[in-house]
Amino acid sequence: MIRTAILGASGYVGGELLRLIAAHPELAPAKLFGDSKAGQTLGAVHPHLEPAFPDAMIERFEELSLDNIDLVFAALPHGHSQRIAGAILGRGIPFVDLGADFRLNDAATYERWYGEAHQATELLGHFIYGIPELNREAIRSASAIAAAGCYATAAILALKPLLAAGLVKQDSIIVDAASGISGAGREAKEATTFSTVDGSLAAYGLLNHRHTAEMEQALGATILFTPHLAPMSRGILATCYGEAAGPSDPLDVLRAAYSAEPFVHVTPEPPATKWVTGSNGARLSARFDERTGRVLALCAIDNLGKGAAGQMIQCANLMLGLKETAGLSTIGVYP
């Protein structure tokens, strides 16, 4: 049994990690950290998890707490992983980080998008960008993974094969994406209260959302990205547009690219977030519009699944030599 530590266990992603670990035959949660909830039982923080982990407690993180730990998951705000990554890697513990600290290869790019200097530039080269469908073999041999952002995952899965096949011009791409409220985290904020969000759809992060940098790095393209907050608990739908290089069949290209992938399914029907809720699945579709000369590609994922906890476990499975699909499902909860 692989003893895991979860940093940020009290948040939505931490809870989702634990829900998935409960069904994973090889992983066991040995240490749960969440400073704001330290001293509370897991059941008090995540009532739905109490039957699976009745004796688990949330602790305050200290480096000595990593004794006898085989794997670390971190779901922390940006900036936090920079402070602890060296200690984790120095102990030789495999590390899967969901924070943004090590997703970008270049410290100057990080500072441009995050507004502060990177504090652990010497570690940037140690992390592999964590989308298995792009970097599977590198992830297998890695000791540190920077799991991709939720919006970035959806957009990259939709666009990467089309750009690789030369179907879309690299300087013409627009990504519009809508996310459920859980993507904003568990902390109470006026902008994400029920009365603010219910019955409303709002754009935010205009021209400067940080996931733009990940998309551009992974795709080698220029992206205009506009995120939206949708009145739903979880899920992301990314709608991506680009000027076509010529007539094409983008749906066929996506089918060929993902035909052997266990979690990515391409269908002629436009995908809905409900199809993937609670799963690690991604549902894609695409069209070529002869009238406008543009390509349209869509991707639906669960922001807490393939966009966060599910992808973290998928990466960990590869790192540890386990079955890639262990503990994960492509089947959503519907309705």
Side-chain angles (χ1 to χ4, degrees):
M1 191 67 71
I2 297 164
R3 294 166 53 86
T4 66
I6 299 176
L7 284 64
S10 58
Y12 285 140
V13 175
E16 187 69 1
L17 272 167
L18 284 161
R19 185 181 74 85
L20 297 175
I21 286 172
H24 198 300
E26 285 91 5
L27 299 185
K31 296 283 186 178
L32 311 179
F33 301 105
D35 286 356
S36 65
K37 305 290 185 181
Q40 298 187 41
T41 65
L42 180 63
V45 177
H46 296 297
H48 66 297
L49 296 174
E50 195 275 336
F53 308 108
D55 301 319
M57 298 289 296
I58 303 291
E59 304 178 31
R60 193 173 301 280
F61 177 74
E62 297 177 3
E63 185 179 334
L64 292 177
S65 303
L66 296 178
D67 290 346
N68 302 313
I69 292 297
D70 305 309
L71 171 70
V72 172
F73 289 115
L76 301 169
H78 84 270
H80 288 242
S81 292
Q82 296 174 44
R83 306 169 194 164
I84 60 174
I88 295 169
L89 297 177
R91 288 170 168 259
I93 303 173
F95 182 27
V96 181
D97 182 29
L98 186 65
D101 293 17
F102 298 100
R103 292 175 186 161
L104 302 177
N105 297 331
D106 178 67
T109 304
Y110 177 89
E111 185 171 358
R112 151 74 176 84
W113 286 93
Y114 286 86
E116 57 192 33
H118 201 286
Q119 300 301 311
T121 56
E122 72 281 2
L123 297 178
L124 287 174
H126 290 263
F127 283 77
I128 299 297
Y129 189 58
I131 296 182
E133 291 76 13
L134 269 65
N135 296 323
R136 181 170 282 110
E137 294 311 311
I139 291 170
R140 287 188 198 277
S141 58
S143 59
I145 301 297
C150 52
Y151 281 125
T153 295
I156 290 166
L157 289 175
L159 290 166
K160 184 70 172 179
L162 307 183
L163 284 161
L167 271 61
V168 181
K169 296 182 181 179
Q170 293 177 315
D171 62 351
S172 69
I173 295 173
I174 295 172
V175 176
D176 288 330
S179 172
I181 307 305
S182 58
R186 192 174 185 179
E187 181 183 352
K189 306 168 190 172
E190 182 180 351
T192 57
T193 61
F194 178 83
S195 57
T196 300
V197 174
D198 184 50
S200 179
L201 181 68
Y204 66 100
L206 302 183
L207 307 183
N208 63 7
H209 193 281
R210 294 158 172 175
H211 287 190
T212 305
E214 291 179 59
M215 297 177 195
E216 294 191 339
Q217 175 179 274
L219 296 172
T222 303
I223 310 292
L224 175 59
F225 170 49
T226 306
H228 299 75
L229 195 61
M232 57 187 185
S233 294
R234 52 201 292 171
I236 281 180
L237 180 66
T239 305
C240 311
Y241 314 87
E243 186 177 346
S248 64
D249 186 350
L251 188 65
D252 190 57
V253 169
L254 291 181
R255 281 177 173 144
Y258 295 120
S259 61
E261 291 295 339
F263 296 111
V264 182
H265 298 273
V266 180
T267 64
E269 298 83 11
T273 57
K274 275 283 189 181
W275 298 356
V276 292
T277 298
S279 81
N280 194 53
R283 298 292 290 266
L284 281 73
S285 193
R287 302 286 191 277
F288 168 66
D289 182 20
E290 185 175 359
R291 183 180 66 85
T292 62
R294 289 180 172 83
V295 170
L296 164 67
L298 303 103
C299 179
I301 62 172
D302 185 331
N303 60 292
L304 295 178
K306 183 62 174 164
Q311 186 146 264
M312 294 172 77
I313 288 180
Q314 187 181 355
C315 289
N317 286 340
L318 290 167
M319 294 170 73
L320 298 169
L322 305 175
K323 186 177 180 181
E324 185 174 345
T325 57
L328 299 170
S329 172
T330 59
I331 307 301
V333 178
Y334 190 92

